[in-house]
Amino acid sequence: GDSVTQMEGPVTLSEEAFLTINCTYTATGYPSLFWYVQYPGEGLQLLLKATKADDKGSNKGFEATYRKETTSFHLEKGSVQVSDSAVYFCALSDFGNEKLTFGTGTRLTIIP
Amino acid sequence: EPEVTQTPSHQVTQMGQEVILRCVPISNHLYFYWYRQILGQKVEFLVSFYNNEISEKSEIFDDQFSVERPDGSNFTLKIRSTKLEDSAMYFCASSEATGSGELFFGEGSRLTVL
């Protein structure tokens, strides 16, 4: 079946550091890939997505590229801010629907 | 900005008791979902709901679970006889359409079964 494996947390970085959160997947079909973020006290919200190989999703300075050859969708940001502190979830949808398969989530804390 | 709201934020119950978790989806959304996350594990799909019926459910969603949209605004998840392993964070979500993968989630309801 489908599965998503993402970097175990928690991750703690200093402000302005470079961020990478790894995500790899297995899927039977040709999935769409997503990063969701949950800020403290809020629900999960879509951060970015990519629907086909080599697509790059981007939002709020975050980027992730759909790599079919390595079955990966790593999240990156060049310079993190304290406000980026949150839990980040990698997810896939195998049939273009909303039955998402999630990873466990990675808690990111940015210290000033 | 419209948001999905869930109540209660935390519920503690005894094993065998019935629990109802409530959700108010975004008003113009037509598709509704429940997901759950057991502590330390992955967020798992439970059920999707459209046009007053279940459109898809996972293996987890057995006869102990049911969903309902009792009026025009609420969407509920009922667990008929809770078990210890039902302890989890339950997330409600809604979407305007299907095919985009963009769900709008509530903050979650934490259920603790003793």
Side-chain angles (χ1 to χ4, degrees):
Chain A
D2 296 347
S3 70
V4 173
T5 302
Q6 63 180 102
M7 172 189 277
E8 295 286 334
V11 174
T12 303
L13 295 173
S14 297
E15 206 168 17
E16 299 183 4
F18 183 85
L19 168 71
T20 300
I21 301 178
N22 290 337
C23 172
T24 57
Y25 68 89
T26 58
T28 51
Y30 200 160
S32 296
L33 303 174
F34 309 87
W35 277 100
Y36 274 79
V37 58
Q38 185 179 26
Y39 298 105
E42 301 182 15
L44 283 77
Q45 55 187 271
L46 181 65
L47 178 61
L48 53 84
K49 71 176 186 181
T51 58
K52 60 183 189 296
D54 300 325
D55 264 4
K56 179 187 284 187
S58 61
N59 187 22
K60 299 182 181 181
F62 290 89
E63 294 182 338
T65 301
Y66 190 142
R67 300 286 187 203
K68 191 167 185 288
E69 64 277 12
T70 54
T71 61
S72 65
F73 193 55
H74 303 322
L75 182 68
E76 295 182 336
K77 186 173 184 182
S79 176
V80 292
Q81 306 300 313
V82 172
S83 56
D84 294 327
S85 297
V87 182
Y88 292 82
F89 295 88
C90 186
L92 69 81
S93 169
D94 208 359
F95 300 103
N97 60 26
E98 278 62 34
K99 182 183 174 184
L100 300 177
T101 299
F102 282 91
T104 51
T106 302
R107 181 174 298 279
L108 174 67
T109 302
I110 307 300
I111 53 178
Chain B
E1 186 174 326
E3 59 181 16
V4 176
T5 57
Q6 291 185 238
T7 54
S9 56
H10 187 193
Q11 180 156 357
V12 181
T13 191
Q14 295 291 323
M15 190 169 53
Q17 295 297 303
E18 176 183 284
V19 161
I20 297 176
L21 304 178
R22 292 183 167 79
C23 170
V24 179
I26 294 173
S27 61
N28 64 330
H29 286 186
L30 301 176
Y31 300 82
F32 313 113
Y33 314 85
W34 285 99
Y35 283 76
R36 78 172 186 189
Q37 185 178 28
I38 295 171
L39 188 64
Q41 298 185 26
K42 300 183 178 186
V43 177
E44 304 170 290
F45 169 81
L46 292 179
V47 65
S48 57
F49 189 88
Y50 170 71
N51 200 24
N52 280 321
E53 59 184 32
I54 290 173
S55 44
E56 191 165 2
K57 61 183 181 180
S58 71
E59 295 171 353
I60 304 166
F61 196 88
D62 61 21
D63 291 344
Q64 294 296 319
F65 291 89
S66 62
V67 289
E68 190 178 31
R69 188 155 162 81
D71 52 43
S73 59
N74 289 285
F75 178 53
T76 62
L77 174 69
K78 181 191 290 185
I79 308 174
R80 195 182 349 267
S81 177
T82 50
K83 304 188 280 286
L84 295 177
E85 55 265 36
D86 294 328
S87 295
M89 181 71 87
Y90 289 81
F91 293 103
C92 174
S94 67
S95 65
E96 195 172 0
T98 62
S100 71
E102 181 167 12
L103 304 185
F104 292 79
F105 285 83
E107 290 180 47
S109 293
R110 179 168 298 285
L111 175 65
T112 302
V113 182
L114 303 176

